[in-house]
Every structure is written in C-alpha cells, then in structure tokens.
Amino acid sequence: SQTIHQWPATLVQPVGSPLSLECTVEGTSNPNLYWYRQAAGRGLQLLFYSVGIGQISSEVPQNLSASRPQDRQFILSSKKLLLSDSGFYLCAWTPSGGNTGELFFGEGSRLTVL
Amino acid sequence: GNSVTQMEGPVTLSEEAFLTINCTYTATGYPSLFWYVQYPGEGLQLLLKATKADDKGSNKGFEATYRKETTSFHLEKGSVQVSDSAVYFCALSRSGSARQLTFGSGTQLTVLP
C-alpha cells in the first residue's frame, strides 16, 4: 500500500533562518506531489505541485521554493524565513494516471517562526 | 473563478446530536465536490465525494448530496460521536483534477460527551 511521510512534525525557527521540510511517498511510482499551507483559521493554499523529477510549478509567489530531486521525494525550502511563513504545511500526492480529485495527505509539519 | 463558502465555526454539539455543516460553491459547469476531514494533529483525508448533480456521497455515517439548483453540498450526520471532533473542509474540483481543488476555510467541530 502507498504511504506518505513528512518531517519534521514540528519546527520552531527564528526569522531569517533557512527551512527544509521533507516529504516522501512509498508504494507508488511517478506520483504527482503537492505542498499546501494551512494558515490558522484559513483554508488550504496550494503552494507547489510537481508532475515529475525536476518539474515544479509554483502557484503563489513567495519566498519559499520546492524541489523534487527524486521521483518520490519533495522538499520545501526557504533561504530566509519570515514571520508570515508560520503555519501548518501539508504534503500530498495523487496517482499520475487517473485523477479523481482525491488527494492523499501526509501528517503535516507545523512551523512557527519567531 | 471557483470558490467554496463554508459555515463559520466553531461548532459544538453534544454526543448523539444531529450535525449539519453548510457548504455552497461557485463554479462554472459541473464540478466534483468533496468533504475532507482533519483529525487533531493529522493531515486531511477524504471523507466523501460526489461527481454529478443529485449524487449522494456517504461514509462513516456522514452524507452530503450534490444540489446543483442551490449550488450546495451540505454535510450531515444523524448522531455525532466524540470521535467525530475534527475540522471539516468542503472542496470542489472544476475538472476532476486534484491540482485544481479549491478548499473552503474549514469548520471546527467539537463533540462533547
């Protein structure tokens, strides 16, 4: 069966520090991968999605970036964090073939920028 | 553009009470509609979905009917349990693609024993 994991689960970072959140999917090949942010009291905002290695589409301009160095690995990064980057970050995947609209989410990473 | 409007939370109910969480949408054509649930400290998971008008999605005692005439997809459960405490998100996909999912802002539900 397919599984998705992301880490770290929680992170407290000072303003201006770098960020790296990692996500891996097991049990499937060539998944579509997504990074979402969930700010407090708000819905989910799609940040990045990827249909293959090295292929990243950005949905919202910001100081975050994403990379996909391997087929089932998706990384969210920042060189310098802002206070507004605080939130709950969710990685998700879908099969590359049929697309029913169902996303499979990881457990989430809670980032607090101080 | 597409949008989803959900009932403002938080919602607090006693165990065995009836639950309704309202969801209305704006979209052209015939979107697919979804309810996702997020339990405390976890990611989201699909609860139920409907892909065409008058379809009823159901799972774990929850139901929602795709009403095109009222552009609504209200979530209902006849008797809630403490374990149903979670945040519920309504969402739509214009093309059926996960890439184009539009989420509502979420409704926090707390069920008291």
Side-chain angles (χ1 to χ4, degrees), chain A residues 47-105:
Chain A
L47 302 176
F48 301 96
Y49 80 99
S50 170
V51 298
I53 296 174
Q55 300 179 62
I56 310 294
S57 294
S58 174
E59 295 295 307
V60 181
Q62 59 213 315
N63 70 318
L64 299 172
S65 61
S67 61
R68 185 170 177 174
Q70 300 180 44
D71 180 44
R72 292 169 293 172
Q73 184 183 28
F74 205 26
I75 298 172
L76 183 69
S77 304
S78 174
K79 293 182 179 178
K80 288 185 178 182
L81 285 167
L82 307 173
L83 285 174
S84 57
D85 292 324
S86 293
F88 193 53
Y89 289 84
L90 289 158
C91 183
W93 74 275
T94 58
S96 60
N99 206 331
T100 63
E102 179 177 1
L103 282 160
F104 299 93
F105 285 89

Side-chain angles (χ1 to χ4, degrees), chain B:
Chain B
N2 300 333
S3 67
V4 176
T5 302
Q6 270 183 250
M7 171 178 179
E8 292 271 341
V11 174
T12 303
L13 295 173
S14 298
E15 206 164 22
E16 300 184 1
F18 184 85
L19 168 71
T20 299
I21 300 179
N22 291 337
C23 171
T24 57
Y25 67 89
T26 301
T28 56
Y30 303 92
S32 296
L33 300 174
F34 306 82
W35 275 101
Y36 279 81
V37 58
Q38 183 180 29
Y39 297 105
E42 299 182 11
L44 281 73
Q45 56 186 275
L46 180 67
L47 180 60
L48 53 86
K49 67 178 182 182
T51 58
K52 61 182 187 295
D54 299 326
D55 267 3
K56 178 185 284 187
S58 61
N59 186 25
K60 299 182 180 180
F62 290 89
E63 292 183 340
T65 301
Y66 189 145
R67 301 286 188 200
K68 184 163 175 57
E69 63 276 14
T70 54
T71 62
S72 65
F73 193 55
H74 305 321
L75 182 68
E76 296 182 335
K77 186 174 185 181
S79 175
V80 293
Q81 305 300 312
V82 172
S83 57
D84 293 326
S85 297
V87 181
Y88 293 82
F89 291 88
C90 187
L92 72 81
S93 175
R94 171 66 181 87
S95 64
S97 164
R99 144 102 168 76
Q100 295 176 347
L101 272 171
T102 300
F103 285 89
S105 57
T107 302
Q108 171 76 56
L109 169 67
T110 301
V111 180
L112 303 176

